Structures are given as structure tokens and as C-alpha cells.
């Protein structure tokens, strides 16, 4: 057998399963779709929050002594960042039922109310950024507290927070 015939035979073996493959035609083209950029969701306190009592008088929370029936209101200006074509978020107050030594059933956290810089009511879900949004919530020390329950008890308000959480807008999948 000649060297040429051996070389052709070896080439056929390689192509039929000995390491080679038959090629199929293919082609590709780069897309012109561009790129996307993620949006943003953020919440920041704008200044220092204030405390008032049931009558609207200022309260120094570090020295105020609550009694059953007291209603304290916390007001905080917030800056909300919502960036995204279909973004929506709820702003809520996150107050643990038990934060300190108070009996959890003797404290009631109110619903958050929101107002824009002009004093107009704002409702959840939020769909746009807002600077200077006023958030207000209440903490009621229930008058149903009996005997000497919660005398000298403490509630740690540093555990209370405002929470901005993205939600899926209605009708979007």
C-alpha cells in the first residue's frame, strides 16, 4: 500500500469519528439591542424626627414618662428615591410589638400617614421619587393596662423604622 493511500485512509477515519466532525453551515450577527440600566429604590431620613403628645405639644422622648392612655406621634421627613419604568413601593412603619420591657399587648402602633411637601395626602403605593415627604405614625399606650402592669417599663424606639419595599404594580407580570 502506498503512503498516499494510508494518509487518505487515516483522514477518513479521523473525519468519521476519530476526532473530527462534519460541519454544518452556521452564521451569526451581533444584536443591536443596546444595554439596560437598573433603577434605584432608597429611603433616607431628612433631618431629625419629632415627637408630640395627644395635644400636639412637643415631647422629649428621652425623658418623657408615659402613662396608660398616652398617645405619642412621631413625625419624620423622608427622602424617597424610586427610579424605574414600572417601579412601585409601599412605605410603612416597622415597629416591633415588643421592644423593651413593655407588655406587647399594652402598646398599639398606628397606621402611617404620608404628606407631600405641600401638605397633600399621599397614599401607597408610591410610584415616584419624593423629597421631604412627611411620614407620621402614632404609638398608643393603651388605657386598658391594668394594676401596675408596665410600671417603669421601657420601649426602645431605636428599633422602630420606616420601611420602603418594592411591590409589583397591578397588571404587571
Amino acid at each position: 500500500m502506498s503512503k498516499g493511500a494510508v494518509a487518505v485512509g487515516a483522514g477518513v477515519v479521523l473525519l468519521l469519528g476519530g476526532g473530527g466532525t462534519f460541519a454544518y453551515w452556521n452564521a451569526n450577527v451581533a444584536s443591536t439591542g443596546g444595554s439596560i440600566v437598573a433603577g434605584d429604590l432608597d429611603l433616607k431620613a431628612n433631618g431629625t424626627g419629632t415627637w408630640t403628645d395627644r395635644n400636639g405639644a412637643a415631647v422629649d422622648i428621652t425623658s418623657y414618662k408615659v402613662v396608660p392612655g398616652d398617645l405619642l406621634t412621631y413625625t419624620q421627613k423622608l427622602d424617597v428615591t424610586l427610579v424605574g419604568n414600572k417601579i412601585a413601593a409601599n412605605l410603612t412603619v416597622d415597629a416591633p410589638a415588643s421592644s423593651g420591657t413593655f407588655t406587647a399587648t399594652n402598646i398599639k402602633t398606628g397606621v402611617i400617614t404620608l404628606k407631600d411637601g405641600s401638605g397633600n395626602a399621599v397614599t401607597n403605593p408610591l410610584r415616584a421619587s419624593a423629597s421631604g415627604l412627611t411620614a407620621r405614625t402614632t404609638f398608643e399606650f393603651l388605657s386598658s393596662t391594668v394594676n401596675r402592669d408596665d410600671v417603669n417599663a421601657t420601649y426602645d424606639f431605636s428599633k422602630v423604622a420606616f420601611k420602603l419595599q418594592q411591590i409589583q404594580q397591578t397588571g404587571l407580570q
Side-chain angles (χ1 to χ4, degrees), residues 95-107:
S98 179
S99 179
T101 57
F102 267 95
T103 305
T105 56
N106 290 340
I107 298 174

Side-chain angles (χ1 to χ4, degrees), residues 120-162:
N120 299 312
V122 176
T123 58
N124 281 319
L126 306 177
R127 290 186 172 87
S129 296
S131 181
L133 191 67
T134 301
R136 183 172 283 127
T137 193
T138 59
F139 296 90
E140 183 176 5
F141 299 89
L142 300 176
S143 59
S144 59
T145 303
V146 296
N147 302 319
R148 290 185 46 82
D149 289 357
D150 293 332
V151 169
N152 294 320
T154 60
Y155 188 93
D156 185 0
F157 283 105
S158 70
K159 304 279 191 244
V160 176
F162 290 105

Side-chain angles (χ1 to χ4, degrees), residues 23-143:
Y24 290 99
W25 285 351
N26 66 61
N28 62 44
V29 64
S31 73
T32 58
S35 61
I36 61 169
V37 177
D40 191 7
L41 179 145
D42 199 12
L43 180 65
K44 293 183 179 162
N46 181 339
T48 303
T50 59
W51 287 95
T52 55
D53 65 13
R54 183 180 299 276
N55 298 319
V59 168
D60 178 356
I61 200 70
T62 62
S63 61
Y64 190 81
K65 306 288 186 196
V66 298
V67 297
D70 267 348
L71 179 75
L72 299 178
T73 300
Y74 183 66
T75 304
Q76 174 70 60
K77 290 217 182 258
L78 300 169
D79 291 335
V80 174
T81 302
L82 291 173
V83 178
N85 288 42
K86 296 178 180 162
I87 196 162
N90 284 335
L91 181 59
T92 59
V93 64
D94 188 14
S98 179
S99 179
T101 57
F102 267 95
T103 305
T105 56
N106 290 340
I107 298 174
K108 179 182 173 187
T109 303
V111 176
I112 191 171
T113 60
L114 305 169
K115 292 191 176 183
D116 65 16
S118 300
N120 299 312
V122 176
T123 58
N124 281 319
L126 306 177
R127 290 186 172 87
S129 296
S131 181
L133 191 67
T134 301
R136 183 172 283 127
T137 193
T138 59
F139 296 90
E140 183 176 5
F141 299 89
L142 300 176
S143 59

